[in-house]
Amino acid sequence: MRSGERRITLADVAAEAGVSVALASIVMRGAPGAGAVTRERVTKVAEELGYRPDSRARLLRSGRSRLLGVVFDVRHPFHHDLLTGLYDAAGAAGYQLTLSAVTPRRGERTAIGDLLQDRCEAIVLFGGQMRTSELASIAARLPVVAMMRSARRRDIDVVHNDDALGSHQAVDHLVSLGHRRITHVDGGTLHGSAERRTGYQEAMRRHGLADHVRVVPGGPGEEDGARAAEKLLADPPTAVTVFNDLSATGLLDVLRRNGLTVPGDISVVGYDDTSLSRLAHIDLTTIAQDIDALAAGAIDRAVERIEGVPAGPRAVVIPPRLVVRSTTGPTLR
């Protein structure tokens, strides 16, 4: 419907077809109580007028909305990729998504508050900085599924990637290429950062490389990766694992602008396998999160809580996998 056009209502259809609104409703719902001739006439008029039933209003009258609210951050490419999987999983379950974004000027609490006003039946939260106790107060009103973070509460479901395992895979790959001086650029205080950092340290010790453990402060954005790269220039390692793909792109840019070749002088591994990492000019080796499994896990948990059916454990942990591209190679020094 174009802006300025009036929405065609059931009353319009009834008036044009010369029947009552109640009878038109019976026809449009496919319910018994209308003759074949009347059904044909009402259906034809509805088609000609371009009438579309307001399924949202009907659901609300029944006390249901079948809406799942999703809070995501516009700054994170992985969040955009994950939304595709969520739409597929929600549609298969007979639910719709309504989105509320976190932006540099719009906080998480505002984003959640808007979804509560939309009468969502559950909320799916991507990462976020809100304290678990605050999430628990929301979970007292409706089901909450937290993704890409931990929340050790019996009333909150969590679905996330095995972050430590992903770092193990990254280090194992680099060691197999002959690297020993491997540095990790972390994600600051973001959820998953501690686990990825710990996984890196564990893998380095397992390979007998405890003396080469080096963690450089970072963060989720390109500028964080760029700042971390500046700190590496004085004494560059032969390889780097980075908290996420976006940060890795900032790091790659600074390394290359300062004359270091990738992977000749230094190999780089990102995390998430976002659409960004697959761009031809980036072609980043990375740790892939299983978007379909994460999305299905989150939707399954939300629907199970809404519909009161027996659900599995509160925490669903999905294993990641290594994707090798052109930013890693054998060490030359």
Side-chain angles (χ1 to χ4, degrees), residues 90 114 124 149 170 219 280:
D114 284 355
V124 179
R149 61 170 290 169

Side-chain angles (χ1 to χ4, degrees), residues 70-74 99-103 106-108 110-111:
V70 180
V71 178
F72 71 105
D73 195 318
V74 297
L99 308 181
S100 192
V102 174
T103 75
R106 187 174 191 261
E108 192 175 10
T110 300

Side-chain angles (χ1 to χ4, degrees), residues 146-165:
M147 301 188 72
M148 297 166 295
R149 61 170 290 169
S150 60
R152 294 172 183 169
R153 299 268 314 198
R154 293 183 180 178
D155 48 0
I156 300 172
D157 288 283
V158 295
V159 178
H160 61 87
N161 159 80
D162 190 335
D163 292 293
L165 176 60

Side-chain angles (χ1 to χ4, degrees), residues 239-321:
V240 184
T241 65
V242 189
F243 170 70
N244 70 7
D245 293 345
L246 190 58
S247 180
T249 60
L251 180 135
L252 285 169
D253 179 59
V254 170
L255 294 179
R256 286 166 171 160
R257 283 193 290 106
N258 281 273
L260 292 172
T261 61
V262 178
D265 292 318
I266 186 167
S267 286
V268 177
V269 182
Y271 207 116
D272 289 338
D273 192 31
T274 59
S275 52
L276 183 69
S277 71
R278 298 189 287 274
L279 294 175
H281 68 285
I282 296 177
D283 203 34
L284 179 68
T285 294
T286 186
I287 302 299
Q289 299 199 52
D290 189 333
I291 286 176
D292 290 340
L294 288 166
I299 297 300
D300 285 349
R301 280 293 174 272
V303 172
E304 286 165 351
R305 302 302 175 192
I306 291 168
E307 300 184 355
V309 301
R314 284 289 185 177
V316 178
V317 183
I318 308 296
R321 62 184 175 85

Side-chain angles (χ1 to χ4, degrees), residues 56 59 64-72 83 85-100 114-116 118-126 142-145 147 295-307:
R56 181 76 57 83
L59 283 168
R64 297 291 307 275
S65 69
R66 299 194 77 84
L67 282 178
L68 305 178
V70 180
V71 178
F72 71 105
L83 283 173
L86 278 181
Y87 270 110
D88 291 342
Y95 282 77
Q96 296 180 349
L97 301 184
T98 183
L99 308 181
S100 192
D114 284 355
L115 292 178
L116 294 175
D118 282 346
R119 295 188 62 179
C120 296
E121 295 194 54
I123 287 180
V124 179
L125 176 70
F126 290 6
L142 76 172
V144 172
V145 180
M147 301 188 72
I299 297 300
D300 285 349
R301 280 293 174 272
V303 172
E304 286 165 351
R305 302 302 175 192
I306 291 168
E307 300 184 355

Side-chain angles (χ1 to χ4, degrees), residues 5-264:
E5 288 188 354
R6 186 176 69 83
R7 182 185 181 90
I8 300 299
T9 68
L10 189 61
D12 296 323
V13 174
E16 185 70 19
V19 300
S20 68
V21 173
L23 187 54
S25 176
I26 286 172
V27 173
M28 298 313 298
R29 288 185 286 113
V37 174
T38 300
R39 285 186 187 279
E40 184 178 351
R41 184 167 74 254
V42 171
T43 302
K44 183 180 179 182
V45 167
E47 247 179 63
E48 291 172 348
L49 295 179
Y51 171 71
R52 295 290 181 272
D54 190 344
S55 57
R56 181 76 57 83
R58 186 170 64 250
L59 283 168
L60 289 175
R61 285 194 297 271
S62 72
R64 297 291 307 275
S65 69
R66 299 194 77 84
L67 282 178
L68 305 178
V70 180
V71 178
F72 71 105
D73 195 318
V74 297
R75 294 164 291 189
H76 297 328
F78 183 67
H79 289 195
H80 303 166
D81 294 345
L82 187 54
L83 283 173
T84 300
L86 278 181
Y87 270 110
D88 291 342
Y95 282 77
Q96 296 180 349
L97 301 184
T98 183
L99 308 181
S100 192
V102 174
T103 75
R105 294 195 295 272
R106 187 174 191 261
E108 192 175 10
R109 291 174 184 82
T110 300
I112 291 175
D114 284 355
L115 292 178
L116 294 175
Q117 291 180 6
D118 282 346
R119 295 188 62 179
C120 296
E121 295 194 54
I123 287 180
V124 179
L125 176 70
F126 290 6
Q129 297 298 303
M130 188 174 285
R131 293 193 302 272
T132 301
S133 58
E134 292 181 88
L135 291 182
S137 68
I138 299 168
R141 301 170 58 182
L142 76 172
V144 172
V145 180
M147 301 188 72
M148 297 166 295
R149 61 170 290 169
S150 60
R152 294 172 183 169
R153 299 268 314 198
R154 293 183 180 178
D155 48 0
I156 300 172
D157 288 283
V158 295
V159 178
H160 61 87
N161 159 80
D162 190 335
D163 292 293
L165 176 60
S167 287
H168 287 189
Q169 294 171 348
V171 172
D172 291 348
H173 170 62
L174 292 169
V175 170
S176 75
L177 294 172
H179 294 277
R180 296 176 59 81
R181 296 182 59 221
I182 303 168
T183 294
H184 177 68
V185 175
D186 76 7
T189 60
L190 287 185
H191 293 291
S193 179
E195 291 79 6
R196 294 178 192 183
R197 180 173 60 248
T198 298
Y200 155 78
Q201 293 166 334
E202 290 171 345
M204 290 290 283
R205 288 193 292 268
R206 175 163 48 81
H207 286 290
L209 301 176
D211 290 345
H212 294 291
V213 168
R214 180 185 178 191
V215 176
V216 174
E222 287 183 85
E223 66 282 358
D224 299 305
R227 281 194 294 268
E230 296 284 356
K231 295 175 183 176
L232 297 177
L233 292 175
D235 182 23
T238 66
V240 184
T241 65
V242 189
F243 170 70
N244 70 7
D245 293 345
L246 190 58
S247 180
T249 60
L251 180 135
L252 285 169
D253 179 59
V254 170
L255 294 179
R256 286 166 171 160
R257 283 193 290 106
N258 281 273
L260 292 172
T261 61
V262 178

